[in-house]
PDB file of all heavy atoms in Angstrom:
ATOM      1  N   MET Z 369      19.399  14.877  -0.239  1.00 89.00           N
ATOM      2  CA  MET Z 369      20.525  14.406   0.573  1.00 89.00           C
ATOM      3  C   MET Z 369      20.913  12.969   0.220  1.00 89.00           C
ATOM      4  O   MET Z 369      22.064  12.571   0.365  1.00 89.00           O
ATOM      5  CB  MET Z 369      20.158  14.422   2.061  1.00 89.00           C
ATOM      6  CG  MET Z 369      19.901  15.764   2.658  1.00 89.00           C
ATOM      7  SD  MET Z 369      21.418  16.691   2.960  1.00 89.00           S
ATOM      8  CE  MET Z 369      22.152  15.686   4.262  1.00 89.00           C
ATOM      9  N   CYS Z 370      19.903  12.157  -0.181  1.00 90.00           N
ATOM     10  CA  CYS Z 370      20.176  10.765  -0.573  1.00 90.00           C
ATOM     11  C   CYS Z 370      20.714  10.686  -2.001  1.00 90.00           C
ATOM     12  O   CYS Z 370      20.947   9.593  -2.517  1.00 90.00           O
ATOM     13  CB  CYS Z 370      18.914   9.921  -0.465  1.00 90.00           C
ATOM     14  SG  CYS Z 370      18.373   9.669   1.228  1.00 90.00           S
ATOM     15  N   GLY Z 371      20.831  11.841  -2.661  1.00 91.00           N
ATOM     16  CA  GLY Z 371      21.448  11.853  -3.973  1.00 91.00           C
ATOM     17  C   GLY Z 371      20.498  11.601  -5.137  1.00 91.00           C
ATOM     18  O   GLY Z 371      20.943  11.278  -6.236  1.00 91.00           O
ATOM     19  N   THR Z 372      19.196  11.746  -4.937  1.00 94.00           N
ATOM     20  CA  THR Z 372      18.265  11.548  -6.047  1.00 94.00           C
ATOM     21  C   THR Z 372      18.292  12.753  -6.968  1.00 94.00           C
ATOM     22  O   THR Z 372      18.781  13.823  -6.600  1.00 94.00           O
ATOM     23  CB  THR Z 372      16.822  11.389  -5.540  1.00 94.00           C
ATOM     24  OG1 THR Z 372      16.372  12.651  -5.038  1.00 94.00           O
ATOM     25  CG2 THR Z 372      16.721  10.345  -4.456  1.00 94.00           C
ATOM     26  N   GLY Z 373      17.722  12.589  -8.157  1.00 94.00           N
ATOM     27  CA  GLY Z 373      17.550  13.711  -9.064  1.00 94.00           C
ATOM     28  C   GLY Z 373      16.419  14.604  -8.584  1.00 94.00           C
ATOM     29  O   GLY Z 373      15.716  14.296  -7.613  1.00 94.00           O
ATOM     30  N   GLY Z 374      16.241  15.726  -9.283  1.00 95.00           N
ATOM     31  CA  GLY Z 374      15.246  16.700  -8.866  1.00 95.00           C
ATOM     32  C   GLY Z 374      13.817  16.172  -8.939  1.00 95.00           C
ATOM     33  O   GLY Z 374      13.026  16.355  -8.016  1.00 95.00           O
ATOM     34  N   MET Z 375      13.472  15.486 -10.056  1.00 96.00           N
ATOM     35  CA  MET Z 375      12.104  15.003 -10.202  1.00 96.00           C
ATOM     36  C   MET Z 375      11.767  13.998  -9.109  1.00 96.00           C
ATOM     37  O   MET Z 375      10.691  14.054  -8.491  1.00 96.00           O
ATOM     38  CB  MET Z 375      11.923  14.363 -11.586  1.00 96.00           C
ATOM     39  CG  MET Z 375      10.491  14.002 -11.888  1.00 96.00           C
ATOM     40  SD  MET Z 375      10.328  13.288 -13.555  1.00 96.00           S
ATOM     41  CE  MET Z 375      10.933  11.631 -13.269  1.00 96.00           C
ATOM     42  N   THR Z 376      12.691  13.091  -8.843  1.00 96.00           N
ATOM     43  CA  THR Z 376      12.471  12.109  -7.792  1.00 96.00           C
ATOM     44  C   THR Z 376      12.297  12.795  -6.442  1.00 96.00           C
ATOM     45  O   THR Z 376      11.434  12.409  -5.638  1.00 96.00           O
ATOM     46  CB  THR Z 376      13.654  11.123  -7.739  1.00 96.00           C
ATOM     47  OG1 THR Z 376      13.832  10.566  -9.032  1.00 96.00           O
ATOM     48  CG2 THR Z 376      13.428  10.033  -6.729  1.00 96.00           C
ATOM     49  N   ALA Z 377      13.090  13.840  -6.184  1.00 97.00           N
ATOM     50  CA  ALA Z 377      12.995  14.551  -4.907  1.00 97.00           C
ATOM     51  C   ALA Z 377      11.617  15.193  -4.748  1.00 97.00           C
ATOM     52  O   ALA Z 377      11.043  15.193  -3.644  1.00 97.00           O
ATOM     53  CB  ALA Z 377      14.084  15.611  -4.816  1.00 97.00           C
ATOM     54  N   ILE Z 378      11.088  15.717  -5.847  1.00 96.00           N
ATOM     55  CA  ILE Z 378       9.754  16.324  -5.769  1.00 96.00           C
ATOM     56  C   ILE Z 378       8.698  15.254  -5.483  1.00 96.00           C
ATOM     57  O   ILE Z 378       7.809  15.449  -4.655  1.00 96.00           O
ATOM     58  CB  ILE Z 378       9.452  17.117  -7.054  1.00 96.00           C
ATOM     59  CG1 ILE Z 378      10.274  18.407  -7.006  1.00 96.00           C
ATOM     60  CG2 ILE Z 378       7.979  17.424  -7.194  1.00 96.00           C
ATOM     61  CD1 ILE Z 378      10.359  19.132  -8.306  1.00 96.00           C
ATOM     62  N   PHE Z 379       8.807  14.103  -6.159  1.00 96.00           N
ATOM     63  CA  PHE Z 379       7.900  12.989  -5.841  1.00 96.00           C
ATOM     64  C   PHE Z 379       7.991  12.646  -4.351  1.00 96.00           C
ATOM     65  O   PHE Z 379       6.983  12.403  -3.695  1.00 96.00           O
ATOM     66  CB  PHE Z 379       8.267  11.745  -6.665  1.00 96.00           C
ATOM     67  CG  PHE Z 379       7.500  11.600  -7.944  1.00 96.00           C
ATOM     68  CD1 PHE Z 379       8.101  11.895  -9.164  1.00 96.00           C
ATOM     69  CD2 PHE Z 379       6.194  11.165  -7.946  1.00 96.00           C
ATOM     70  CE1 PHE Z 379       7.403  11.758 -10.353  1.00 96.00           C
ATOM     71  CE2 PHE Z 379       5.498  11.019  -9.128  1.00 96.00           C
ATOM     72  CZ  PHE Z 379       6.099  11.328 -10.343  1.00 96.00           C
ATOM     73  N   MET Z 380       9.212  12.620  -3.807  1.00 96.00           N
ATOM     74  CA  MET Z 380       9.394  12.235  -2.412  1.00 96.00           C
ATOM     75  C   MET Z 380       8.802  13.270  -1.468  1.00 96.00           C
ATOM     76  O   MET Z 380       8.211  12.926  -0.448  1.00 96.00           O
ATOM     77  CB  MET Z 380      10.879  12.028  -2.106  1.00 96.00           C
ATOM     78  CG  MET Z 380      11.529  10.892  -2.872  1.00 96.00           C
ATOM     79  SD  MET Z 380      10.888   9.271  -2.422  1.00 96.00           S
ATOM     80  CE  MET Z 380       9.592   9.094  -3.645  1.00 96.00           C
TER      81      MET Z 380
END
Side-chain angles (χ1 to χ4, degrees):
Chain Z
M369 295 284 293
C370 291
T372 70
M375 188 179 77
T376 306
I378 286 166
F379 266 104
M380 296 294 92

